[in-house]
Every structure is written in structure tokens, then in C-alpha cells.
Amino acid sequence: MSWRDDLPPVEGKLLFDEPLAPFTWFRVGGRADALFLPADMEDLSSFLGALDPEVPLTVLGVGSNVIVRDGGIEGVVIRLAGKAFAEIEIDKEENQVIADAGALDTAVARAAAAGGLAGLEFYAGIPGTIGGALTMNAGCYGAETKDVLVSAWGFDRTGELRSFQAAEMGFSYRRNSLPEGEVIWMQALFQGRPDDPQAVKARMAEITARRETTQPIREKTGGSTFKNPEGTSAWKLVDEAGWRGRLFGGAKFSELHANFMINTGEATAADLEGLGEAVRADVKAKAGVDLHWEIKRIGRPK
Ligand SMILES: Cc1cc2nc3c(=O)[nH]c(=O)nc-3n(C[C@H](O)[C@H](O)[C@H](O)COP(=O)(O)OP(=O)(O)OC[C@H]3O[C@@H](n4cnc5c(N)ncnc54)[C@H](O)[C@@H]3O)c2cc1C
């Protein structure tokens, strides 16, 4: 009997051989052996508690920082979809925001602004979920998740609750130091500062406007492809090596922002990953710099 025939019963949806491309910004990649859309947090924890520990598990937010490879993802992919994972509350007394891991960063920024809380404006510029932000220490324009996070909690692989103070999460540039897959984030608590809602909204509008003119936000992309190396910008190295706009299969680095990779329409995950690796090798040869992927590449090659 295969592990597929022995998965725990669920309240939500359990779909087999489900295409994952529609769930990612790049719109590439193969199928999930199984895709679990839990009905709520209890459904998820009981599923995890009963799941065979040998079955591989992967969590997806809204796929704005991943390339799913063309051979798909082995085991169970979990996606926190729907209202049960997207609640946002404002605590006026403590000037805090409590957000579910499936809530969009932009929705959290808007809720904080409407509640007269400053500090979370930067989330207006990041098209992911809070779960992705906790994993990637997402940030922009000088602010990042670790600056506003008080604590976060989630389930471990066995369905046990785990909670962390921000200081315990070992944040650094676009990562935390917890072992990969250690926690499936459920909620985060953020600290804001009281401010005039109109002033906060104005700052958010500035961030959104700046994005529109400097990033290909309407394309099939995954945000910054490489982390910025110490003392320089990844886009400059990509540009100087001659890769801005140069096609590699159906993939290229954006003319607008040379650290953003784009699926021009027919790209495969192999085109995108192959382009990234070709650029890494070329930049190493020409500038002597090692570029490190910021985008996560997950799953099996075809
Ligand atoms: C146009 C564009 C602009 C961008 N600009 C920025 C920017 O300015 N700054 C920035 O930091 N990023 C930026 N990004 C990248 C991306 O939006 C962020 O990294 C975001 O935090 C990813 O969130 P996600 O929900 O899409 O996560 P996904 O891409 O789905 O996943 C990313 C990682 O998070 C993990 N993950 C997601 N949810 C959970 C969860 N609940 N529990 C455990 N693990 C989880 C996944 O397993 C994976 O390892 C940009 C992306 C795009 C497409």
C-alpha cells in the first residue's frame, strides 16, 4: 500500500497530483503528489499528528518566492488558504497586530494603517503571506520582519504547538535560523506605534508607487533572485555581466530590474533555474563574486 492510501482523514481538501504552477507567481512547475488545503488550524494539527513521519512535507504561501521544479513536489504540500488562516486583529491597548500566517502582507499593512499603527508600512510592498515573511525575514526599504515581530507560533511536524519570541528565531538577511521545515507558522504578533492613519496610508502609497516604477510587479516573477552580496547589489552584477533582458529558453532577467527573473510566457522551471545558475557562473567568472539564491527552488527536476 502506498502512503497516499494511508493519509489521515481531513475536514478540508486533499487533492492528488494537483498542478502547482497556478499557486506560484512564476506559474511554472509540476504537480504535488498530494495537496492539502486544511479547513482550519485544528484540521491541520490533527492531520499532522496522524501523518506518517516518513512522508515529505512542504508548505507554500502564495508562492512569490519559489520556483517549483518541473517534476513537482514529493509527498504532501500544505497551503493555508481561505479566511480560517487569514484573520488580522488590532490590539489598540498594546498597539499590536495579531495576524494569521495565511494573511497577505499587504492586508496586514492596510489593517495596521486603518488601526492607526505605524511600523508595518513596508509590508505594503511585499506580495507574500505572513508565513512567508516569517520564513524569509521579508522586508524592504530599510525595514524587515524582525524589526516589528514580537513572537510567532505554529505547529511542528507532529502537530505540536511551538512558540518563539522574535529573538529566538535567529533572523538575518532573508532568513531565520530554524531548521528548514521545523515549524508551520500559524500566527504572528507584531508591535506597532500609534500614528495618524492618514500619515501611515500616505507612506504606504509612496512604497506602492515606488514599486510600480522600479519592479516588474505585473510579470510572472519571484522577487529578488539573488541576495545582495556584502557591499554591492546583485542587480548590478547581473547587469554588468550582460544578462539584463537576455533570453534563456522562456526566461530572462527583467529590463526594469536586473535582479528579477521573469517567465516571458513559455518558461519552464528548468529555464528559470538554468538561467540563474548560468548567471551565477558568469558573475563568478567575470567579477569573482558568489551570488546566492534568495528564491527557493523546491521539488524534483523533470
Ligand atoms: C514582485 C515581487 C516583489 C517582491 N519584493 C520583495 C521585497 O521587497 N522584500 C522581500 O523580502 N521579498 C520580496 N519578494 C519575495 C516574496 O514576496 C517574499 O519572500 C515573501 O515573504 C514570500 O511569501 P510567500 O507567502 O509567497 O511564500 P512562498 O514563496 O510560498 O514560500 C517562501 C518560503 O516560505 C515558506 N513558508 C510560507 N508559508 C509558510 C508557513 N505558513 N509556515 C512555514 N513556512 C512557510 C515556504 O515553505 C518557503 O520556504 C517579492 C516577490 C515578488 C514576486
Side-chain angles (χ1 to χ4, degrees), residues 23-26 44 57-67 78-80 100-105 122-123 125-141 143-145 153-155 173-174 176 180-187 211 215-224 260-261 294-296 298:
F23 296 116
T24 73
W25 265 64
F26 273 123
L44 175 57
L57 204 62
T58 304
V59 190
L60 266 190
V62 289
S64 64
N65 207 220
V66 293
I67 294 172
I78 293 172
R79 201 164 175 273
L80 309 178
D100 286 355
L104 288 174
D105 299 345
F122 69 96
Y123 277 142
I126 305 174
T129 61
I130 291 301
L134 294 170
T135 307
M136 302 303 299
N137 187 21
C140 59
Y141 305 135
E144 50 190 4
T145 299
W153 72 270
F155 297 121
Y173 179 53
R174 300 294 168 261
N176 68 46
E180 191 137 351
E182 179 94 341
V183 188
I184 301 169
W185 298 113
M186 289 292 108
Q187 263 186 344
R211 297 250 134 191
Q215 296 182 356
I217 57 172
R218 310 210 184 284
E219 302 278 358
K220 301 183 183 91
T221 180
S224 295
F260 275 54
M261 252 194 310
E294 180 169 322
I295 289 176
K296 293 187 177 278
I298 55 177

